[in-house]
Every structure is written in structure tokens, then in C-alpha cells.
Amino acid sequence: MFQEFSWPREKGELYPLLKAQAAALLEEEPDPVANMANLSALLWQALPEINWVGFYRTVGEELVLGPFQGKPACVRIPWGKGVCGAAAKEKAPQLVPDVHAFPGHIACDGASRSELVIPLLAQNGEVTGVLDLDSPVSGRFTGEDLEGLLPIARLAAEALFPQKEGDGPEWAVDSALHHMTSGTPARELFQAVCDEIGRYYQPAGLKYTRSNRKLRWKGKRLCCEIGFWSSHSNRSGEWVNLEIVPSVFVLGDGMVRKGLLPLNIRPKNFNVCRPDKDCFAEIIAWIDRQLALARSLESREGVERYLKRLPDRQRETLGRDDNLRRYLDRLDKERVK
């Protein structure tokens, strides 16, 4: 049963409590409508400066309104349209500081100024719906909100659309993950995991290069290259260390070689030893966050919000970086046009 208490204002304290409460509400309840209703009510109560929160379900080639908190909303959203449709089509979270600057934004509530949408993914990678949050405050949502809400969205996806017995990740027919044993060469396992990550993102329009194991997203001003590496010391039957290295580059002005590496975007390591849906979901969620960050950096406002979250010393160092100054100057010139 839900227990009433005061929610902490610090996000680092808020989101772990929110995840625990969400897990308790969803425990042993099979009805998806009840679960969506309870989760939307929980988020509505816990998160400040929110004017709408709820779910849309995938029905055919549309997103159809589910349980929510807030004003009456758009009932049907075409696939790929608006912020919700983009999240569903791209299979990636959409963190939008200014909804009026988002191409094709669908205005259900004129008071909304910022929006965060997280797709709900089934075990086979299909989008079964989205979790949508709106705020009347511009720039209300940050990467910290996205990171805190991703585990809750995964809980929602599992509870709203439970895995059927025998279901699991649908690896490629020729993938080594189907016949993984203690004798499977580590190099083969590493390649198979990278291939499945690339295969997962290809429907969203991201390019995967198998020869050097790299995933690439291309936006209007930036591209994000995500490289995969493993240790040469890995041996058959042992954990494979998967290191994922994201790099953000500016398009079309000679900065591609050096990129925006000073922006403090760090690699992440995962230990992989078998085809495991939870491990795969964790990897995908982390990559989603890097892609969402790259998208947010395509505007000066997004860069400034990112810099404000850094410690003072790092922010001062970045303020002297020539590459970053050139990029911000370019954004300013584009805004003047």
C-alpha cells in the first residue's frame, strides 16, 4: 500500500525513492490499466512543476492515450509526429527544453513549455508505448531527470506489457548469443553483442559500422559517434569487458577531427558474460542517455544547461576551450539569421 510522505527536493534522493515506490505499486498487479493509472498518479504527486504526466499506448501506427494526470489531452498521435511520436519512432528519449522550438510539436495544452518523453520497449525491442511528462516551465527537465526516470520507465514497460514465457531478446539468427557456452571465444561474444546493439538502433536511422564497431547518430549540427572496445586479455568463458566511448562532433566547419571532447562525456564499462536481457537493457538505456545529451547540445540553451551542471572548475576550464567557443559562436550566428 502507498504510504504518504514528503518527497525530497534533491533529485539524487528523490529518484531512488520514487523507483522503490513504483516497484511497490506494481508488485503482483497484472492489470495494465491499473498500473498505468497508479504510476501516473505517483509521478504527478512526487514531481514538482509538472502540468501533465501519463501514458500513450501503441495501437497500430498510432499512439493512443492511456491513463494520465492533468488536463484532457490529444487522444491519438500519429507515429513519428510531435515529441511523443518522435520518441516512439526513434526508440529514444526526447528531452525538449522548449516545445515550441520542436519541429511538428503537437500542442495539447498551451501552457506546456518543456517535455520529456521516454519510449517503453518490449523484450523484442518493439515500442509498446511512451511515458510523457509536460511542464509549464521552460527547461524544466534535465539529464538528471532522464536518468532518474529511465529505471521507472523500464519498470513500467515490464509491468504494463509483461514478458511471456519463452520470450526474450530476439537476437539475429546467426548470432553467437544463441549458442553461447563456456568455450565461446571472447572475441566472438564481444562482436555478437556489438552487432545486436547496432541492429537494435538501425530502425531508428542510426548507422552501425561492423568493421570497427561504431554506432553513429547524425543531427542537424552535431553527430554522436559511439565506439565499442574490449580488452585483449579477455578469455573464453570469462566476462567480456565492453567499454562504450561516446564522442560528439560538430558538422561541417573543420571541427570533426577534435570534436567536442572537452564536454566531459565519459566512457562507460559493462561486464558481459551471457545473453542477458537486463544487461542488454542497461546498455541500451545508457546509450539512449548519450544520444539524448547529443541532441540537447544542438542549441546554445542546451549547452548552457549542461555546463551549469558541471563543477565550477570544469566549467571554467571549458570556458577557455577554443573548440567550444567556436561552436557557441556558430550557434549565435545561426540564431541571428
Side-chain angles (χ1 to χ4, degrees):
M1 180 179 294
F2 178 76
Q3 299 295 323
E4 186 75 35
F5 64 98
S6 298
W7 295 96
R9 308 297 290 185
E10 174 59 42
K11 293 179 182 180
E13 299 177 10
L14 168 64
Y15 283 113
L17 287 175
L18 194 52
K19 180 184 176 183
Q21 284 283 358
L25 282 175
L26 299 173
E27 189 175 10
E28 298 182 356
E29 176 50 60
D31 188 85
V33 175
N35 285 327
M36 283 187 280
N38 258 342
L39 274 180
S40 58
L42 176 68
L43 295 174
W44 176 265
Q45 183 184 58
L47 299 178
E49 299 179 319
I50 298 293
N51 66 325
W52 200 95
V53 57
F55 294 91
Y56 280 88
R57 303 164 293 118
T58 300
V59 179
E61 297 183 355
E62 293 182 308
L63 292 171
V64 179
L65 183 65
F68 67 91
Q69 298 282 324
K71 292 182 179 179
C74 305
V75 175
R76 296 180 182 272
I77 297 177
W79 199 258
K81 301 297 183 181
V83 183
C84 288
K89 182 178 180 180
E90 297 177 17
K91 294 186 178 180
Q94 304 290 311
L95 198 162
V96 182
D98 179 6
V99 294
H100 298 294
F102 189 90
H105 168 62
I106 300 173
C108 295
D109 183 351
S112 295
R113 290 293 179 269
S114 57
E115 188 169 2
L116 174 59
V117 181
I118 303 176
L120 306 178
L121 302 179
Q123 296 303 326
N124 62 3
E126 294 299 316
V127 177
T128 54
V130 300
L131 169 61
D132 182 18
L133 300 97
D134 290 9
S135 172
V137 179
S138 297
R140 158 65 179 84
F141 303 105
T142 67
E144 193 172 3
D145 294 297
L146 174 59
E147 187 169 353
L149 286 165
L150 276 170
I152 297 171
R154 288 199 294 272
L155 281 174
E158 293 171 1
L160 304 181
F161 310 97
Q163 179 181 355
K164 298 178 182 178
E165 187 174 352
D167 283 353
E170 294 185 357
W171 313 124
V173 175
D174 59 349
S175 173
L177 301 179
H178 283 300
H179 49 81
M180 166 62 182
T181 69
S182 60
T184 300
R187 180 177 296 179
E188 184 178 347
L189 173 61
F190 169 67
Q191 183 70 67
V193 171
C194 293
D195 288 349
E196 290 303 330
I197 294 173
R199 180 172 173 262
Y200 176 89
Y201 281 104
Q202 281 175 336
L206 277 74
K207 181 179 179 182
Y208 171 67
T209 306
R210 189 178 194 273
S211 59
N212 59 2
R213 293 175 291 274
K214 183 181 292 181
L215 188 71
R216 180 171 176 142
W217 166 81
K218 183 177 180 181
K220 180 179 179 181
R221 302 178 182 89
L222 301 173
C223 69
C224 180
E225 291 187 353
I226 300 176
F228 305 98
W229 304 86
S230 71
S231 169
H232 293 293
S233 64
N234 291 323
R235 293 180 295 179
S236 300
E238 296 184 353
W239 293 91
V240 170
N241 180 264
L242 175 66
E243 182 180 25
I244 307 180
V245 184
S247 302
V248 177
F249 301 95
V250 178
L251 298 173
D253 67 349
M255 293 173 63
V256 173
R257 174 181 289 273
K258 186 177 180 182
L260 294 180
L261 297 179
L263 278 175
N264 199 36
I265 300 173
R266 300 301 186 190
K268 176 75 172 179
N269 289 78
F270 296 89
N271 288 320
V272 184
C273 73
R274 61 187 182 278
D276 182 284
K277 70 180 182 67
D278 292 331
C279 179
F280 189 75
E282 185 180 359
I283 293 169
I284 293 300
W286 190 83
I287 294 175
D288 282 349
R289 290 197 291 273
Q290 310 316 305
L291 295 173
L293 173 60
R295 291 186 179 96
S296 73
L297 295 175
E298 287 212 293
S299 69
R300 171 176 263 281
E301 293 77 14
V303 175
E304 291 175 346
R305 277 191 296 274
Y306 177 75
L307 294 177
K308 285 179 181 178
R309 300 200 299 268
L310 298 178
D312 291 341
R313 182 173 296 179
Q314 289 183 358
R315 189 164 57 249
E316 291 171 2
T317 300
L318 286 174
R320 297 189 294 270
D321 182 79
D322 183 59
N323 248 11
L324 182 57
R325 286 202 303 270
R326 287 173 58 194
Y327 177 57
L328 292 174
D329 288 343
R330 173 180 170 175
L331 293 179
D332 288 340
K333 290 177 182 177
E334 290 180 357
R335 186 158 49 181
V336 171
K337 291 181 180 179

